[in-house]
Every structure is written in structure tokens, then in C-alpha cells.
């Protein structure tokens, strides 16, 4: 696998960020098109979030149990359309973890305590390791690589691309 | 060969060789469930994957249960996509009003012990009461399973819950579920299968087991698995469910953790806003005033739940003092409520009875609380804004506690003679 690098500004969230906070079920009534829904990201707990993102690449930094609750996949897609390719959390809910991978978002289980809102972060994936660099604080952490199929799906950019790749 | 947990053995049978926790394999799936919330997105994934052929349409069930009856043109367009797909492929499609997927999939006979089921709905874990591995998935995984009839899974570790003792009168599977959710939290069973055993199981009805398996979704479990014991066998015989695929754990298999629960130690419990993990004893809440009650959903919308509620209504008399919404989990249950005249008594007491559906549980169907409302709900989730209003607070409780709240406008103990055996 070729090296894959993501960069972005850290936005901090707490524990137990559920998928209803990422995108509310009441919004999904109107559309399931993430482009149309993207401005509602985190609206119930951080109404200014979409404006703060400003269309720039961002990395969400959270505590434990990120993505708990409903398995609805729009919660992962809303990250992609908002240029959030990486979520760092102390732990993830299992269904959300899968949804992230399938949409080309890296859910990295990491020690997020030392990372502050606004830090410039870089995440580099290789076949040997996942390296997390806090550019602002000049620190690095190393994590084990994702395994087999999971890594292939993420490298392809998500499940749809992976399916096309494995067919052709 | 090393001893196996239920999930290890169930998955081994599906792939034809022994598999153990931590291994990742691709497994054939017996049953694929989707609904009008996640289904349209699964169909979009199929479209993007350029999938034209569906290899096992008879294994797929699409249930219109979230937006019922259809509230507007935008939802109508999404629901139409499911109908269009069902017109092209011979999959099962259950129209609005028949009930919640987790109820009708059993009523229609899609489930039997040993089934590997995946669903585009987190509460697919419910199927564990039938000794099925029910795994909640996102829309893309459901699409993948629809396209290929199989899916990659990591064989999970298993956590064993051992029940002893029996429940005090008036305490139900809902209190057991709330207790387990508060103990396991989000982390302790994340990615795990949870298995149940112990002498206490004989006292837990199939309905109690449904509630427990349903609510373990809140603990991020991959699946919850009840054994196929005498209680299950009796239910199976009554329903004509073939039991030869039932899976039991081997003696000496490897558990991540064993948790012992004395059922007789559990009292009335309530999960406080806005987290199912934040559970308090009802007695500690000081007769708190409440504004609205929801009785129903895939967690507690079955006949036994309404029978318990009705007994308290009869015993205490009077009428519901706050807005009270009832949602039977299926048309069959609704018909039973009518035939037994329970529905008439509930309506007489001031309740609204909504069509069988997910109802107001996730704000997808009408029944939104007013500003600042404290709602007592028998559902499974109480996140901020869950019922469609971020200023409301949701308290999760059993049907009896919810009924007592409806009758008094307060969180009080549902003490009565009527239902105490």
C-alpha cells in the first residue's frame, strides 16, 4: 500500500458523541444527500461548527465512544463532504467504525489528551504503521496499521471504489 | 479443537471451518434487513457499485417502519425507491403500518436459531433472543451483503452474563436491560458478542430477553446471544420455529469477562437525560413531575407490555394526566389490543394510539415533545434531541413505570395489587 497522508486542523469534542449529533434524524427526513445536509453537522451540540470549518480540511479529536447510537451511515458521509477525513478518538462505537472505513474516513483509536483545539495535525498511513504528528506541538505517536481488507477498503477511498477495483 | 463460544460456533458453521475470536473472514449471511431510514442509502450504494443482479433476494426484507404514515413528499420519494427496487427484484417489502422490522421479521418467520442476520438498523441485536446473531450495520455494509450475499466480519470476543435469582414483582426485562447498560457502558462490551447463561434465565420470558438484547445495542455490542433453552423451545414450538440450528457454547470456551447479575437485586430503574448509561433508581428521583409518556417502540411495544400497563390502569383507575402516546410494535399486536378491548380502555383513559411503527422514538414520525418537556419513554435511546426537540429531556423506563407516570404526572413507583402475583 502506498503511503496515505491526511492533514487538518483539530476540532475538539468530548465523550459519547452519537450519530444523532453528527446529523439529526429529523434532517434525514428531507434528504439523504450529504451535500444538502452538510451544514447541519453537529448542529444540536455545536451550532457554529459548520461555519467554523469554513470548508477547510479538519480532523475531529474526541474522547471515548465516538459515533455511538444509530448505525445510520449519513453520519459518516457528512464528515466526508465537510473535508473531515480523519477522526481521532479514545474509542469508537463498532458500527460507526465500519461506516467510516466504508466511506474512506480513517477512524483512529488514539491518545487524544495532549491535542488541543486548533492544533495542526498530520496522519500518515503506511503498511507498517499509522503515524500521528501534532505539527503545532512537535509530537508524534505511532499506532499499528489497519489489517487486510479494512486497509484495502480505506486505501481505495471507500467501499464503492473498492468494489469497482476488485471487479476490474 | 479448542472450545468455542456461541458466536464462534455460529460463524464456523456458516463458513465450514473452525473460526476463533480476532480472525477476520467473509461469511455468508442468512438474512438482510433494511428499512425506510437506511434502505434508500443502501440502494444508492448498490447503484454506485453498479450492481444489477441480487444473488439471494429471498434473504432480503425491506420494512417501511420509520416514517409512518409517510409525512411528506420528500420521504415519499425515498420510500418509492424501496418499492421500485422491490418491483425489479423479488425481495420482501413490508408496507407502512405492518410494524417495526424487529417485530415483523419474527412474526413472518425470517428468524430461527443459528441465523446470521445483518440489519441496517442498530437494534438488529434484538434477534439474539432467538439465538440469532443479529448485527447492526451501516447502509454500505448492507448494500455489500445484498450484492454478494456475504460480508467480512471479525469474529468478536465474547462477554458472558450469568443471571441468578429471580425478578421482584413488577420488575421486568427493561430494568435488567437498563441495569446491564449502566454496568457495561459504552466500552466494556464494545465490538464484543454478549452471551447469557445461568439459573436466572428460566425466569426471563422471551419478551424480557428481547428487551435485553435490544438495549445492548447501546453498549456497542456486535450481537447479543441468548441460549436456546426450555423457555425458547416452548416459544419456538408455539410459533413453529425450527430449532435444529440452535447453537450452544462449549464448556471451557474463552470469555473476555464473566459478569454475574443477581436478578433479585434489581429495583425499578430509570435512565436519565441524555444518556442511556446514566441510570438511577426510581426511588431516588423524588416523585419528579413529568409532561409526556411514550409507551411502545421495538423495545417495549409488545402485548405483554400493554397488558402490564392495562393492569395498572385498572388497578389505579382514573385517566392519563399527561399526553400519553401508545405505539404497538406491529399490526398483529394492535389487533390483539383491539380484540382484548385494551385499546378501548387506553383511549377512554386519554391515550393516543399511533399506527405500528418506530413512532416518535427517534423523531422520525409525529409525537414531538413540546419545549422543556420531561418525557418518560419505554424506548431504548434518550440522546439530546432524540424525539425531535432538543429542549426536551427523555427518561427511559419500563412500561409499568411509564404507565404510573402517565396516570399521576410524576415518576412514582407503580405499586399495585393487580399485577402482583
Amino acid at each position: 500500500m502506498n503511503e496515505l497522508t491526511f492533514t487538518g486542523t483539530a476540532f475538539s469534542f468530548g465523550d459519547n458523541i452519537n450519530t444523532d449529533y453528527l446529523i439529526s434524524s429529523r434532517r434525514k427526513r428531507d434528504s439523504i444527500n450529504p451535500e444538502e445536509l452538510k451544514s447541519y453537522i453537529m448542529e444540536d451540540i455545536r451550532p457554529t461548527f459548520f461555519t467554523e470549518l469554513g470548508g477547510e480540511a479538519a480532523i475531529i479529536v474526541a474522547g471515548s465512544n465516538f459515533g455511538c447510537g444509530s448505525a445510520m451511515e449519513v453520519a459518516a458521509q457528512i464528515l466526508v463532504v465537510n473535508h473531515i477525513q480523519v477522526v481521532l478518538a479514545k474509542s469508537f462505537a463498532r458500527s460507526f467504525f465500519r461506516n467510516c472505513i466504508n466511506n474512506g474516513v480513517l477512524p483512529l483509536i488514539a491518545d487524544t489528551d495532549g491535542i488541543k483545539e486548533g492544533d495542526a495535525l498530520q496522519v500518515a498511513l503506511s503498511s507498517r504503521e499509522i503515524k500521528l504528528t501534532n505539527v503545532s506541538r512537535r509530537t508524534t505517536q505511532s499506532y499499528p496499521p489497519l489489517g487486510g481488507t479494512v486497509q484495502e477498503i480505506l486505501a481505495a477511498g471507500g467501499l464503492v471504489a473498492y468494489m469497482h477495483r476488485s471487479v476490474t | 479443537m479448542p472450545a468455542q463460544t456461541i458466536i464462534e460456533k455460529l460463524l464456523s458453521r456458516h463458513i465450514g471451518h473452525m473460526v476463533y475470536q480476532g480472525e477476520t473472514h467473509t461469511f455468508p449471511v442468512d438474512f438482510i434487513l433494511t428499512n425506510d431510514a437506511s434502505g434508500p442509502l443502501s440502494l444508492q450504494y448498490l447503484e454506485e457499485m453498479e450492481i444489477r443482479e441480487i444473488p439471494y433476494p429471498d434473504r432480503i426484507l425491506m420494512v417501511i417502519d420509520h416514517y409512518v404514515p409517510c409525512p411528506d413528499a420528500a420521504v415519499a420519494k425515498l420510500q418509492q425507491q424501496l418499492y421500485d427496487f422491490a418491483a425489479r427484484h423479488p425481495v420482501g417489502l413490508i408496507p407502512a403500518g405492518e410494524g417495526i422490522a424487529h417485530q415483523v421479521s419474527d412474526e413472518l418467520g425470517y428468524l430461527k436459531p443459528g441465523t446470521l442476520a445483518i440489519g441496517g438498523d442498530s437494534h438488529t441485536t434484538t434477534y439474539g433472543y432467538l439465538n440469532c446473531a443479529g448485527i447492526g450495520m451501516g447502509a454500505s455494509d448492507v448494500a455489500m451483503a445484498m450484492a454478494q450475499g456475504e460480508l467480512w466480519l471479525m469474529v468478536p470476543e465474547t462477554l458472558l452474563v450469568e443471571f441468578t435469582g429471580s425478578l421482584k414483582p413488577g420488575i421486568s426485562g427493561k430494568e435488567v436491560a437498563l441495569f446491564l447498560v449502566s454496568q457495561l457502558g459504552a466500552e466494556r462490551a464494545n465490538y464484543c458478542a454478549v452471551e447469557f447463561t445461568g439459573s436466572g434465565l428460566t425466569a426471563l420470558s422471551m419478551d424480557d430477553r428481547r428487551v435485553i438484547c435490544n438495549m445492548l445495542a447501546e453498549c456497542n455490542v456486535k450481537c447479543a446471544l441468548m441460549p436456546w433453552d426450555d423457555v425458547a423451545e416452548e416459544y419456538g414450538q408455539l410459533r413453529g420455529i425450527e430449532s435444529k440450528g440452535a447453537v450452544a457454547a462449549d464448556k471451557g470456551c474463552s470469555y473476555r469477562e464473566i459478569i454475574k447479575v443477581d436478578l433479585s437485586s434489581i429495583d425499578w430503574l430509570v435512565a436519565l437525560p441524555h444518556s442511556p448509561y446514566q441510570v438511577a433508581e426510581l426511588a431516588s428521583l423524588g416523585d419528579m413531575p413529568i409532561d409526556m409518556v411514550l409507551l411502545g417502540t421495538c423495545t417495549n411495544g409488545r402485548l405483554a407490555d400493554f397488558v402490564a400497563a392495562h393492569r395498572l390502569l385498572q388497578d389505579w383507575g382514573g385517566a392519563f394526566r399527561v399526553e400519553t402516546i401508545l405505539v404497538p410494535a406491529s399490526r398483529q399486536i394492535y389487533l390483539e389490543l383491539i380484540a382484548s378491548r385494551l385499546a378501548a380502555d387506553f383511549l377512554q383513559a386519554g391515550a393516543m394510539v399511533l399506527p405500528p411503527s418506530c413512532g416518535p422514538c427517534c423523531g422520525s414520525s409525529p409525537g414531538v415533545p413540546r419545549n422543556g418537556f420531561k418525557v418518560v419513554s419505554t424506548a431504548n435511546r434518550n440522546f439530546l434531541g432524540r424525539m425531535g426537540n432538543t429542549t426536551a429531556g427523555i427518561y427511559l423506563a419500563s412500561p409499568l413505570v411509564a404507565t404510573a407516570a402517565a396516570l399521576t404526572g410524576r415518576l412514582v413507583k407503580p405499586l399495585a395489587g393487580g399485577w402482583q402475583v
Side-chain angles (χ1 to χ4, degrees), chain B residues 318-385:
Chain B
F320 296 131
R321 294 175 67 154
V322 297
E323 188 167 316
T324 299
I325 294 178
L326 271 55
V327 197
S330 72
R331 182 188 295 277
Q332 192 174 310
I333 294 166
Y334 200 169
L335 285 168
E336 285 166 347
L337 289 181
I338 292 171
S340 59
R341 295 207 46 83
L342 262 59
D345 289 346
F346 286 130
L347 285 167
Q348 193 75 46
M352 285 182 268
V353 184
L354 300 189
S357 68
C358 302
C361 169
C362 60
S364 56
S365 296
V368 177
R370 298 211 298 279
N371 280 0
F373 261 25
K374 289 185 162 73
V375 185
V376 178
S377 165
T378 63
N380 41 38
R381 222 163 249 169
N382 61 346
F383 303 146
L384 181 75

Side-chain angles (χ1 to χ4, degrees), chain A residues 28 30-37 73-78 80-81 102-103 159-161 163-164, chain B residues 34-52 54 62 74 77-86 88-89 138-144 146-147:
Chain A
K28 279 200 317 169
D30 305 325
S31 167
I32 55 164
N33 181 345
E35 280 294 338
E36 288 172 25
L37 296 172
E73 194 138 347
V74 180
Q77 295 181 325
I78 200 111
V80 178
V81 293
N102 287 353
N103 288 279
L159 193 60
V160 172
M163 287 285 281
H164 285 302
Chain B
T34 185
N35 56 39
D36 54 329
S38 68
L41 190 51
S42 289
L43 299 187
Q44 193 178 309
Y45 277 110
L46 286 175
E47 191 90 358
E48 287 170 17
M49 292 169 183
E50 295 173 17
I51 301 296
R52 303 278 172 262
I54 299 295
M62 305 163 97
K77 193 173 155 193
L78 295 175
Q79 292 184 348
Q80 183 62 42
Q81 293 171 8
L82 302 189
Y83 281 90
D84 291 346
F85 185 80
R88 290 197 306 276
H89 305 279
S140 56
D141 278 315
V142 169
M144 184 84 158
M146 286 168 82

Side-chain angles (χ1 to χ4, degrees), chain A residues 3-4 10 20 39 43 48 51-52 59 71 88 94 102 107 117 133 135 141 149 155 168:
Chain A
E3 192 157 299
L4 201 60
D20 279 280
S39 67
E43 61 172 328
T48 55
T51 321
E52 291 175 65
I59 290 178
L88 307 177
R94 57 155 287 280
N102 287 353
E117 175 98 12
T133 306
V135 181
Q141 298 174 36
T149 315
T168 52

Side-chain angles (χ1 to χ4, degrees), chain A residues 18 20-21 68-70, chain B residues 218 274 276 381-386 394:
Chain A
N18 67 67
D20 279 280
Y21 292 166
C68 61
S70 162
Chain B
E218 310 322 314
H274 305 284
R381 222 163 249 169
N382 61 346
F383 303 146
L384 181 75
R386 172 78 178 169
I394 304 166

Side-chain angles (χ1 to χ4, degrees), chain A residues 61 86-90 92 106-115 122-134 139-147 151:
Chain A
V61 180
V86 181
V87 179
L88 307 177
K90 289 178 185 164
F92 290 88
L106 171 67
L108 180 62
I109 300 167
D111 176 10
T112 54
D113 281 340
I115 305 171
Q122 187 185 74
V123 181
L125 286 82
S126 70
S127 53
R128 300 179 313 280
E129 63 165 355
I130 300 175
K131 199 163 104 183
L132 165 62
T133 306
N134 189 329
T139 56
T140 59
Q141 298 174 36
S142 177
Y143 295 98
L146 303 163
Q151 186 129 336

Side-chain angles (χ1 to χ4, degrees), chain B residues 126-190:
Chain B
T126 309
Y127 306 158
Y129 76 102
L130 282 173
N131 191 242
C132 299
I135 308 178
M137 294 270 179
S140 56
D141 278 315
V142 169
M144 184 84 158
M146 286 168 82
Q148 305 196 324
E150 56 183 31
L151 198 64
W152 69 269
L153 297 171
M154 187 188 277
V155 184
E157 291 181 87
T158 297
L159 191 146
L160 182 69
V161 174
E162 186 182 341
F163 290 126
T164 55
S166 55
L167 295 173
K168 291 178 198 164
I171 304 297
S172 70
K174 183 55 163 273
E175 278 81 11
V176 180
L178 290 169
F179 177 77
L180 279 175
V181 170
S182 73
Q183 294 299 303
L184 295 177
E187 305 293 340
R188 211 162 150 192
N190 195 8

Side-chain angles (χ1 to χ4, degrees), chain B residues 187-249:
Chain B
E187 305 293 340
R188 211 162 150 192
N190 195 8
Y191 305 108
C192 292
V194 175
E195 245 178 56
F196 299 89
T197 189
S199 57
L201 269 178
T202 51
L204 294 177
S205 69
M206 291 302 269
D207 281 349
D208 288 328
R209 297 172 186 204
R210 278 171 140 139
V211 179
I212 294 166
C213 293
N214 175 282
M215 282 210 68
L216 282 186
E218 310 322 314
C219 304
N220 298 314
V221 306
K222 190 163 206 155
C223 57
L225 285 153
M226 292 282 176
W228 191 258
D229 61 2
D230 291 348
V231 175
E233 181 58 30
E234 193 185 333
Y235 177 87
Q237 287 192 1
L238 212 67
R239 301 285 321 284
I241 298 170
E242 187 186 287
S243 64
K244 70 170 196 279
V247 187

